Amino acid sequence: MRPVRCKSLSDRRRLARAPVQAAVAAAVGLALYACPLSCRAQTEPSLNDYLPPSEPEVSRDEWRQRIEDARRRAKEVARERREHPELYKPIPEDPDLVATERLLRDDSLQRGDIVTTKKGMFVYQGRSDQPRRDQDFVPVNPKPVR
């Protein structure tokens, strides 16, 4: 057998990769051959695959009873909501209280920052290593115009 002469750099690279490609193909073929047929085939899931292992399979009558109980509870809740809608209305939040809480939780505030609220402008005088308090916000008194 005559040695193959490579004229271009791309031919030499292709021939250099050939043993690696052959080894990879052989490894894949061996893995497919060694793997039993059951690991390659997908099986249909059964009901037991979805139930926790501690719970036995329920009978058809028990299953129907569970469905009827759930329907009864749903009807009771629907009736309760119709009879007492005031109990299920959302409670409107006070926008001032929400803004104040958001301001107290803001971690980006630094000493000397100025914040504006409906009550006026305030300078933050607190420290970053301590929790925020209402007393950390000092009102800004505007200077009189001359």
Side-chain angles (χ1 to χ4, degrees):
M1 193 160 127
R2 274 181 30 206
V4 178
R5 291 207 172 250
C6 299
K7 295 181 180 177
S8 69
L9 181 60
S10 63
D11 288 340
R12 281 188 230 138
R13 287 183 180 158
R14 194 174 329 126
L15 282 175
R17 286 190 298 237
V20 174
Q21 292 171 344
V24 170
V28 170
L30 181 62
L32 288 175
Y33 177 75
C35 181
L37 198 55
S38 64
C39 77
R40 283 184 266 158
Q42 297 274 334
T43 58
E44 288 292 319
S46 69
L47 178 63
N48 293 330
D49 294 334
Y50 299 106
L51 291 176
S54 61
E55 259 185 59
E57 196 170 318
V58 295
S59 70
R60 187 178 200 91
D61 291 334
E62 290 172 328
W63 183 255
R64 285 183 176 161
Q65 185 60 42
R66 286 183 185 180
I67 291 173
E68 287 303 317
D69 292 343
R71 283 182 181 156
R72 182 182 42 76
R73 287 191 306 269
K75 285 180 182 179
E76 288 174 7
V77 169
R79 183 177 40 80
E80 174 79 19
R81 288 184 70 102
R82 275 193 312 273
E83 291 175 358
H84 303 286
E86 68 278 357
L87 297 176
Y88 298 96
K89 287 184 180 177
I91 299 170
E93 294 182 358
D94 181 20
D96 292 336
L97 181 63
V98 172
T100 303
E101 290 297 320
R102 187 179 310 142
L103 189 64
L104 289 174
R105 286 190 310 256
D106 187 1
D107 293 333
S108 67
L109 279 178
Q110 297 179 3
R111 189 177 184 91
D113 284 353
I114 297 176
V115 295
T116 304
T117 66
K118 282 188 171 183
K119 294 180 182 178
M121 295 174 55
F122 296 89
V123 176
Y124 178 64
Q125 295 295 323
R127 294 176 41 182
S128 59
D129 61 340
Q130 294 179 350
R132 291 188 175 45
R133 303 169 303 169
D134 290 338
Q135 295 82 11
D136 293 339
F137 296 92
V138 179
V140 174
N141 295 327
K143 294 182 180 178
V145 179
R146 293 184 183 191

